[in-house]
Amino acid sequence: MIMFLAKRTATLMAAVLLSSFAVFLIPYVTPGDPVRKIIRSRVAGDVVDDSTVQALGQSLGLHDPLPVQYFRWLGDFFSGDMGLSHISRTPVVDQVMPALGITLSLVIVALGIAVAVSLPLGIVAGLKQGGKADKLITTITQSFIAMPEYWLAPLLVLVFALKLSLLPSAGWNTTSSIVLPAVTLALRPISFFTSAVRSGMIDALEAEHIQAARARGLSHAQTVMRHVIPNGLVPLSTLFAVWFAGLLGGSVIVEVIFAIPGMGRLLYDAVVNSDIPLAQGGVVVVVALAVAITTLADFLHRILSPKVSGALA
């Protein structure tokens, strides 16, 4: 287990460093003078005088070798200095953190809905494998995969906001504003979560220790409640984390459609406006958080899964 933790931690750090280096190179691989672009992200306003550009470039260390500049930029980044937005001329960190909080709230509610719906569906489908209930649940939940967010979101707005006037169509001003975007994001995870719980239940029912529990005299209901359901939920932990990490940066369409000022909308605006410091800050924060979440889920899966734990013992 210690070797596993060390390897996963090293992989996490390598992934974050690799992605951050790719983001750091953006000013150097996009059209224009990289020194002027970097200076623009460090001082308030454009600098047009060549002598001033040279002096600022020297004072900011922009003539140093790229590895030196990268580690200096990385140190500033993780100390909270992400530069200034080209558009708003305000610190990037002051825009990224509030947007991250909004996206985290949206993703947590969406995945909470997905878990609440998929748990009972997956348990019933697993216990009734091959039956009518299993086939009905599988058919309905699998159809959710064919409903992309850019199609589902306008449909929900048309029905629940414009026709029935039950929920707001856009914005982030009231508690009810989160309902339609969260449901839109939850639908496809419901399909995958239900399938994972169903498969976990079926595997657990066929496991040797379940058969041994029955041989000890436990009733079917006791066996299911004590052993089958807990073991059947193990695959969900990893899948939950994968979707959590994916939705952090993958909620762009939903946030744009519903006018939500989250990370997806912030990154979309940064790209459209060529706001390099804002894009750099947003991407690195999302990648670091996503990698940390998936790694934590991997740890939990290793601890909770009887098969994996046994292999590591």
Side-chain angles (χ1 to χ4, degrees), residues 185-210:
L185 285 177
L187 213 55
R188 292 211 293 170
I190 286 174
S191 175
F192 289 94
F193 289 2
T194 302
S195 178
V197 173
R198 176 184 179 276
S199 298
M201 292 288 296
I202 293 172
D203 289 343
L205 283 168
E206 297 172 351
E208 291 182 0
H209 67 282
I210 300 299

Side-chain angles (χ1 to χ4, degrees), residues 49-169:
D49 181 69
D50 288 340
S51 61
T52 304
V53 170
Q54 286 296 323
L56 284 173
Q58 192 68 36
S59 65
L60 294 174
L62 301 181
H63 302 300
D64 293 338
L66 275 182
V68 175
Q69 291 187 51
Y70 166 67
F71 283 108
R72 185 190 301 127
W73 172 83
L74 196 64
D76 292 341
F77 186 93
F78 283 106
S79 66
D81 181 6
M82 303 180 187
L84 300 173
S85 165
H86 285 175
I87 303 302
S88 66
R89 309 309 306 166
T90 57
V92 169
V93 66
D94 291 345
Q95 298 184 56
V96 168
M97 291 303 141
L100 181 64
I102 290 172
T103 296
L104 284 174
S105 302
L106 176 60
V107 171
I108 289 171
V109 173
L111 292 182
I113 293 172
V115 170
V117 174
S118 61
L119 271 182
L121 293 180
I123 290 172
V124 171
L127 292 176
K128 304 294 183 182
Q129 181 189 6
K132 292 181 179 178
D134 179 25
K135 293 177 180 176
L136 180 63
I137 291 171
T138 301
T139 301
I140 293 175
T141 55
Q142 288 299 309
S143 68
F144 293 165
I145 299 176
M147 298 181 184
E149 288 86 358
Y150 62 81
W151 175 84
L152 181 62
L155 179 64
L156 293 178
V157 169
L158 178 65
V159 175
F160 293 99
L162 301 182
K163 292 290 184 182
L164 302 178
S165 300
L166 295 176
L167 296 165
S169 61

Side-chain angles (χ1 to χ4, degrees), residues 1-7 298-299 301-304 308-309 312-313:
M1 180 62 84
I2 294 176
M3 286 300 296
F4 168 76
L5 293 175
K7 288 180 180 177
D298 212 356
F299 290 160
H301 181 72
R302 295 271 171 169
I303 294 172
L304 295 175
V308 178
S309 299
L312 290 171

